[in-house]
Amino acid sequence: QYLESLAEGAFACVSAADAKAMLEEALVACRGIASDMTVYFGFDKADITAAAQAVIDEVVTMLASYSAPLVSIVGHTDTVGSFAYNQQLSERRATAVEQAILSRSASSGINAGTISKSGRSESELAVPTGDNVREPRNRRATIAISE
């Protein structure tokens, strides 16, 4: 409704592209309200894929619009393997994302001191599953930006 009110009154029809542009503009104005970005990983992997790099590139672009950004990265796993192993894997995923962001944003003022990272193993599943279930959407790292 808010987006419609911005585009010529409550009865205006807003295209998806216009709605996305207006939302992004509103999020920039709100600073820190933007939704998390998500990087996905292969099974038992912590490497940055081409798709993951595209998300990281988008994050780095977003960071440029902040005067003093803070970045929070949280790694996650699916339920295959022990909790202890998955904890280490989730931490490796968070570190891989951190390193990718730092390598892409060296000239933007982002440094390790502005990034917090943690691993949550299999304790915060995006898709609830039973034990020992391979679920690609749970193998991820989330990136949140605030100021």
Side-chain angles (χ1 to χ4, degrees), residues 4-136:
E4 287 178 347
S5 70
L6 292 177
E8 302 179 52
F11 297 106
C13 183
V14 178
S15 71
D18 288 343
K20 182 177 184 217
M22 286 187 275
L23 176 60
E24 288 172 358
E25 186 178 311
L27 291 175
V28 168
C30 291
R31 300 274 185 206
I33 305 301
S35 61
D36 294 347
M37 304 292 287
T38 304
V39 171
Y40 292 97
F41 294 89
F43 178 73
D44 200 27
K45 303 280 186 197
D47 56 328
I48 302 298
T49 64
Q53 189 60 56
V55 173
I56 289 165
D57 290 344
E58 189 174 344
V59 167
V60 170
T61 299
M62 289 173 62
L63 289 172
S65 70
Y66 289 81
S67 59
L70 299 172
V71 180
S72 173
I73 304 167
V74 180
H76 303 271
T77 67
D78 60 20
T79 61
V80 176
S82 71
F83 186 89
Y85 178 82
N86 283 337
Q87 180 61 35
Q88 291 176 345
L89 179 57
S90 67
E91 291 170 6
R92 288 195 336 257
R93 288 174 174 169
T95 297
V97 171
E98 174 193 40
Q99 294 303 312
I101 289 171
L102 290 173
S103 71
R104 292 279 310 176
S105 59
S107 63
S108 67
I110 301 301
N111 59 56
T114 62
I115 298 176
S116 67
K117 63 181 180 184
S118 64
R120 301 275 167 78
S121 187
E122 57 191 68
S123 63
E124 295 177 5
L125 300 173
V127 178
T129 67
D131 200 27
N132 288 314
V133 175
R134 290 185 180 198
E135 173 50 62

